[in-house]
Amino acid sequence: MSGQSITDRITAAQHSVTGSAISKTVCKATTHEIMGPKKKHLDYLIQCTNEMNVNIPQLADTLFERTTNTSWVVVFKSLTTTHQLMVYGNERFIQYLASRNTLFNLSNFLDKSGLQGYDMSTFIRRYSRYLNEKAVSYRQVAFDFTKVKRGSDGMMRTMNTEKLLKTIPIIQNQMDVLLDFNVNANELTNGVINAAFMLLFKDAIRLFAAYNEGIINLLEKYFDMKKVQCKEGLDIYKKFLTRMTRISEFLKVAEQVGIDRGDIPDLSQAPSSLLDALEQHLASLEGKKVKDSTAASRASTLSNAVSSLANTGISFSKVDEREKQAALEEEQSRLKTLKEQRLKELQKHPATATTDSSPVFTMGGTNNSAPAIDLFSSPSSNNSNSAAANDLLDLQPTFQQLLPLSTTNTWGGFAASPTTQQPQNARGLNVDFDSVFGNNTNANNLDGSVASSPILDMTPNSQQPHKLVSNDLDLSLANLVGNLGIGNGTVKK
């Protein structure tokens, strides 16, 4: 199967409709295409884990939901995407996974759609076990072994004896589950499993580097431990030798699939005489007869072993540093490419001033915005603003100030005394304001039917008010509409 399936497109469209960009990206990263998740989708999800307004549980639940698919491609890519976020995403993501009661439940997963589905289902079950163990390890120690500080002042080198004896077995369990992936070079046949193997390879290098430093710290403290602690430490060291053999086989597979030899660290075996010295020291603490050995010989053996393991740690650290340097160079190259693209866009479309997009500025940068008009100012205070306000509806009556209120009018309020000055006629409309507003004593110019207007009939006892408030624009317009005596005095229905 190649290309996105109809199901992939429908699912992505559904999330587009609901407006969930994260769910849509998860679906695009875990399509039915037999290839690893695309980098642009992984980068987007990694960036989402660093945003404080992103719901990490919802992101994780979306990935868990994708693992319930019946296709091995979708499930495998969902696990790979989750692994990417655990390694390169914000620590909040792995913290949430560690806090969950249930993780990936794929111990019985089996894709029966084809022969390749049978083969890949085995590695899906192993891969999910490792991701579960990685989250459980974080829950136990509250940090990720692949991200701890390394070196002489690193966490594993400065840990006290009691904590060290409890922490190293946790690393051993995680290393065992990782090596149980147990893939051969001829089984890495598609981009999906190759992407998962690369993540496991990087985890193995970092995990074993922390494991190696913990063993160095253990050996330096071994001859000062109590008998019970020495017994635990000897058992841990024997398991370390076994895992060193397994990790060397894992690195050989990485070399066979085309990983650069410079990216594969060198493993230096500790001298076999060290194991004899550790066993003899424990036997002496238990009261058994042992061969006589001087403190100088034990110190020499221990020094050689620590030096050998330190060289292994340096080799692992160099590989990690090269990976960091490669990541920085890749980021710088990406920034340079974006900068060049931006410069090309600016050359094609010269940048204009920022003020060009503003409606109140012209190309020359001058402000062409009109002065603010105070529609509520009085005519005496601002004649220009008053003229602009009087242009509304193209009417320019000169409104006068109200005289002192006297008697109660028929509207239930107070009637103002009429003014003596008559308003001017409008410029654009032929309106007889004297007749309409009742300011002229000769109101006979109005049509006789105007007297029966419903506006005027609203007064109690069917009495028409003789005078209207000439400087109340709202009331005057209401009467104007009611009378409809505009221009020639004809009545409009």
Side-chain angles (χ1 to χ4, degrees):
M1 183 183 298
S2 62
Q4 296 186 17
S5 66
I6 299 298
T7 305
D8 296 331
R9 298 179 185 275
I10 293 176
T11 306
Q14 289 175 347
H15 290 299
S16 297
V17 172
T18 58
S20 178
I22 294 179
S23 300
K24 179 181 178 180
T25 307
V26 169
C27 292
K28 285 184 173 293
T30 58
T31 59
H32 288 78
E33 296 177 277
I34 304 182
M35 58 181 293
K38 293 182 179 179
K39 190 175 185 303
K40 62 180 181 180
H41 299 143
L42 294 177
D43 290 343
Y44 178 81
L45 294 176
I46 290 171
Q47 180 62 30
C48 286
T49 61
N50 294 316
E51 299 293 336
M52 297 306 297
N53 59 344
V54 171
N55 192 341
I56 296 296
Q58 180 183 0
L59 172 59
D61 291 342
T62 305
L63 289 168
F64 279 104
E65 182 181 356
R66 295 295 285 173
T67 59
T68 60
N69 198 287
T70 57
S71 172
W72 69 268
V73 182
V74 176
V75 176
F76 218 149
K77 292 172 75 171
S78 301
L79 296 177
T80 305
T81 303
T82 304
H83 195 178
Q84 283 273 0
L85 297 181
M86 294 174 74
V87 175
Y88 300 107
N90 193 283
E91 195 173 4
R92 294 188 303 148
F93 186 79
I94 191 172
Q95 284 176 350
Y96 173 72
L97 295 183
S99 65
R100 286 177 61 102
N101 293 327
T102 58
L103 294 171
F104 296 107
N105 186 18
L106 299 172
S107 57
N108 297 321
F109 178 81
L110 182 62
D111 186 350
K112 301 179 180 179
S113 60
L115 182 60
Q116 192 176 27
Y118 277 95
D119 295 336
M120 293 297 108
S121 296
T122 302
F123 296 109
I124 287 175
R125 293 193 293 269
R126 297 172 182 174
Y127 194 23
S128 64
R129 283 187 58 234
Y130 171 71
L131 296 182
N132 290 345
E133 186 63 31
K134 185 178 178 71
V136 171
S137 297
Y138 188 94
R139 182 190 306 168
Q140 293 174 330
V141 297
F143 60 84
D144 188 353
F145 290 112
T146 62
K147 298 180 181 180
V148 296
K149 181 181 179 181
R150 296 195 290 271
S152 58
D153 57 344
M155 179 178 292
M156 299 303 297
R157 291 290 294 272
T158 57
M159 196 173 290
N160 59 51
T161 304
E162 291 77 10
K163 190 175 181 180
L164 185 66
L165 293 175
K166 294 179 181 179
T167 304
I168 293 181
I170 299 175
I171 303 180
Q172 288 178 340
N173 292 336
Q174 187 174 344
M175 179 64 69
D176 288 342
V177 179
L178 189 152
L179 297 176
D180 285 342
F181 192 72
N182 195 22
V183 65
N184 297 322
N186 56 1
E187 293 173 324
L188 299 174
T189 56
N190 58 76
V192 181
I193 191 173
N194 288 345
F197 179 77
M198 285 301 301
L199 290 173
L200 290 174
F201 168 73
K202 294 176 182 179
D203 266 18
I205 291 177
R206 297 165 182 163
L207 189 61
F208 190 82
Y211 190 16
N212 184 73
E213 291 190 350
I215 294 298
I216 293 176
N217 190 13
L218 178 68
L219 293 177
E220 291 174 345
K221 292 179 169 61
Y222 182 80
F223 293 100
D224 298 327
M225 293 180 182
K226 300 177 182 178
K227 181 176 68 173
V228 176
Q229 294 175 337
C230 286
K231 190 174 182 179
E232 293 180 10
L234 180 60
D235 183 60
I236 288 173
Y237 181 72
K238 289 180 179 179
K239 292 180 179 179
F240 172 76
L241 297 178
T242 304
R243 284 154 184 79
M244 181 173 283
T245 303
R246 296 186 63 188
I247 192 66
S248 63
E249 295 175 354
F250 185 85
L251 296 179
K252 288 179 181 178
V253 175
E255 186 177 358
Q256 292 174 2
V257 297
I259 295 179
D260 189 4
R261 187 67 184 86
D263 294 335
I264 300 177
D266 297 324
L267 295 179
S268 300
Q269 295 283 348
S272 58
S273 58
L274 176 63
L275 181 60
D276 296 335
L278 298 178
E279 290 176 344
Q280 290 178 10
H281 178 71
L282 178 61
S284 65
L285 292 178
E286 293 176 346
K288 298 180 182 178
K289 294 182 179 181
V290 295
K291 296 186 298 181
D292 294 335
S293 60
T294 62
S297 62
R298 289 189 305 180
S300 176
T301 302
L302 179 61
S303 177
N304 292 334
V306 170
S307 176
S308 177
L309 295 177
N311 291 333
T312 300
I314 293 174
S315 177
F316 277 86
S317 299
K318 287 182 178 179
V319 172
D320 203 12
E321 289 296 330
R322 280 196 294 269
E323 183 182 354
K324 291 180 180 179
Q325 187 64 28
L328 289 175
E329 292 176 356
E330 181 182 358
E331 187 67 20
Q332 291 176 356
S333 176
R334 185 185 306 173
L335 291 176
K336 184 178 179 181
T337 303
L338 292 175
K339 184 177 179 180
E340 292 175 354
Q341 292 178 355
R342 179 60 178 167
L343 290 176
K344 291 180 181 179
E345 292 177 358
L346 293 178
Q347 290 175 358
K348 293 181 179 179
H349 307 284
T352 57
T354 307
T355 57
D356 292 348
S357 59
S358 177
V360 297
F361 288 94
T362 61
M363 293 295 292
T366 59
N367 192 342
N368 289 337
S369 60
I373 298 174
D374 188 2
L375 298 178
F376 301 99
S377 62
S378 61
S380 60
S381 63
N382 192 342
N383 294 330
S384 61
N385 292 346
S386 176
N390 289 334
D391 284 340
L392 294 175
L393 302 179
D394 204 13
L395 301 177
Q396 288 184 330
T398 304
F399 298 105
Q400 305 297 325
Q401 294 182 354
L402 290 175
L403 296 178
L405 300 177
S406 57
T407 58
T408 305
N409 66 359
T410 55
W411 295 91
F414 295 94
S417 300
T419 59
T420 58
Q421 184 178 356
Q422 297 178 355
Q424 299 176 357
N425 291 337
R427 293 180 303 175
L429 295 177
N430 186 15
V431 181
D432 190 356
F433 286 94
D434 293 335
S435 300
V436 173
F437 294 140
N439 292 336
N440 192 352
T441 55
N442 299 324
N444 297 326
N445 293 333
L446 290 175
D447 193 289
S449 60
V450 177
S452 61
S453 173
I455 301 293
L456 302 177
D457 290 340
M458 292 174 62
T459 58
N461 302 324
S462 300
Q463 296 179 358
Q464 177 181 350
H466 299 287
K467 301 294 181 181
L468 299 177
V469 181
S470 60
N471 44 7
D472 189 341
L473 180 60
D474 294 336
L475 184 58
S476 300
L477 291 177
N479 284 279
L480 176 63
V481 173
N483 294 331
L484 296 177
I486 300 177
N488 53 9
T490 59
V491 179
K492 296 182 181 179
K493 295 182 182 182

